[in-house]
Amino acid sequence: MAPLAARVTPFTTVRVWRSLAKACLCVWVKDATSAIQVQSKKQRRDGKKRRVLNEHLSWEERLADAVTPLWRVSYDQQLQLKQRDREGTLSQLANQLSKEGSFVGDKISFPVLPIRPSPAKDGYRNKSTFSVNRGVDGNPKTVGFYVGTGRHRNIICVNGDHLVNMPEKHKLVARCYQEFIRLSPLEPCLLFHDGGHWREVTVRTNAEGHTMAIVYFHPQTLTPVEIEVHKAALVDHFIHGPGAVCRLDSLYFQESSMTRCGHRESPYQLLYGQHHIFEEVLGFKFRISADAFFQVNTAAAGVLYSTVRDMCISKAEKCEGTLLDVCCGTGAIGIALSSGVDRVIGIELIEQAVEDAGHNAAFNGVTNCEFLAGKAEVVLPALMSQLGSSAGSITAVVNPARAGLHHRVVRALRNQPTIRRLVYISCKPEGEAMRNFVELCCAPDPQRRLNGEAFSPKFAVPVDMFPHTPHCELVLLFER
């Protein structure tokens, strides 16, 4: 296969005028108050239009349109749509950098590769979370996915058996969980202040079909002894009763009065089976805990990681220096690239994921990886000061959540002169990540404490991780 630089195609700016028109909308509005009013009126009109258009559809079609909006479109067409969308996003970046005065000339261009497709198109999700709420028939103990919104008070929970991105095993666990809670004397917890106990269920599977189920439970005023009775009933249902058909390898239980919390706030209790499931990517085996992050499409994760590897490491020879893996999760990227660098340092917020990353490195015989737990905006600036120039050349890989990188993380990366190459993986580049891109590439700005040499975008590669949805990952290479 030819190297990436030889396979790029010219990047052309598209949808610039559409973006500018949207940006100029607020100029036509006299003040902030009227802008909010205009926006809310438009949202109400759009919401009414969507409801009218959807009324002739079945509940299953409405759910499919919400969860997998491209399910009616051929996969080749999906890829074309995503390619154009990402080109439009990058044209916005080019426009912003022109405004910042980071480049000379009227046009900015950098190459973009054709989108890399997912090897798995249907049933690819290795993790699914099913909600509990009122179904089409009014039964509040229905397990599925929401159609409607809480704001409009029109939420209906619809069974997801027809969704093309869900594997059959996930759907089976959801059906068995619904059967269990309908037999349980306890009510579901639809709204925390209204009481109830049974909440959603998360299902994780690997390529070998091993299955982990995590049931979430609101204790309300139940005593620990009373909760034990219902935990025992849950185990009996899934291990000895009708739910045994799921053949669970792990059954976890988390009781919490918060909407979302991690293992530290409310420990995941193993009720049955193994503590972890394992997955293999690019010849490496990874341990996955109940709350650890792992790419939701395992087959496409191999495509993503190989793309990052090609950007970071020369195939001709080993690169000297350090690979800095920010938001490293269970260490997959750092471990996959470890043979091509002297040292890997990973940073991750979730402590359980850091434990998994350490185990994964040891299990795969990788000895040059170190993983640090904590918020990147706290850990990274201190690490940069500690490393100084002693780490030699640093290549950084960042893979943040949709909210993008904290401004202190961007500042630390920008102001570290030994970082010559940076690979940014974004699932939502049109959002806060765009601010990150501009701050990495803009002219030095003492007011924002962006004093280091600016990065330049070299090329971008879209990778489709989410067939049948409009989403895909965008991998950008920045150098200086």
Side-chain angles (χ1 to χ4, degrees), residues 57-133:
L57 299 177
S58 68
W59 286 107
E60 288 74 18
E61 288 175 307
R62 296 185 214 184
L63 176 60
D65 286 344
V67 177
T68 52
L70 303 181
W71 67 280
R72 294 183 174 89
V73 180
S74 73
Y75 190 56
D76 285 343
Q77 290 176 306
Q78 292 182 33
L79 294 177
Q80 292 172 20
L81 289 169
K82 295 182 185 188
Q83 180 79 23
R84 288 198 296 268
D85 182 72
R86 288 301 178 246
E87 287 176 353
T89 299
L90 291 173
S91 73
Q92 294 176 37
L93 172 60
N95 185 57
Q96 293 238 20
L97 293 179
S98 294
K99 288 181 178 178
E100 289 275 343
S102 304
F103 294 86
V104 178
D106 296 332
K107 280 191 175 182
I108 301 169
S109 63
F110 49 92
V112 58
L113 275 135
I115 187 169
R116 295 189 168 183
S118 169
K121 301 172 184 64
D122 297 331
Y124 59 84
R125 291 191 64 92
N126 56 40
K127 180 182 179 183
S128 303
T129 297
F130 298 85
S131 299
V132 178
N133 215 302

Side-chain angles (χ1 to χ4, degrees), residues 2-9 113:
L4 286 177
R7 302 200 304 274
V8 295
T9 57
L113 275 135

Side-chain angles (χ1 to χ4, degrees), residues 419-435:
I419 299 178
R420 308 308 299 172
R421 176 175 294 182
L422 187 149
V423 175
Y424 196 121
I425 307 168
S426 176
C427 59
K428 192 179 180 183
E430 70 278 6
E432 284 299 303
M434 185 67 70
R435 171 182 55 82

Side-chain angles (χ1 to χ4, degrees), residues 125-129 166 170 202-205 290-292 294 296:
R125 291 191 64 92
N126 56 40
K127 180 182 179 183
S128 303
T129 297
M166 302 282 171
H170 292 200
T202 293
V203 187
R204 305 189 79 147
T205 49
D291 65 339
F294 197 80
V296 76

Side-chain angles (χ1 to χ4, degrees), residues 60 63 130-146 155-160 174-175 177-182 187-190 198-201:
E60 288 74 18
L63 176 60
F130 298 85
S131 299
V132 178
N133 215 302
R134 290 180 178 83
V136 177
D137 61 356
N139 192 324
K141 293 183 175 182
T142 299
V143 177
F145 299 92
Y146 289 167
I155 286 179
I156 295 293
C157 194
V158 180
N159 179 282
R175 289 196 301 269
Y177 181 58
Q178 176 175 283
E179 183 180 17
F180 169 74
I181 64 173
R182 287 187 173 184
E187 294 301 316
C189 180
L190 308 186
W198 299 114
R199 298 174 56 204
E200 62 261 38
V201 59

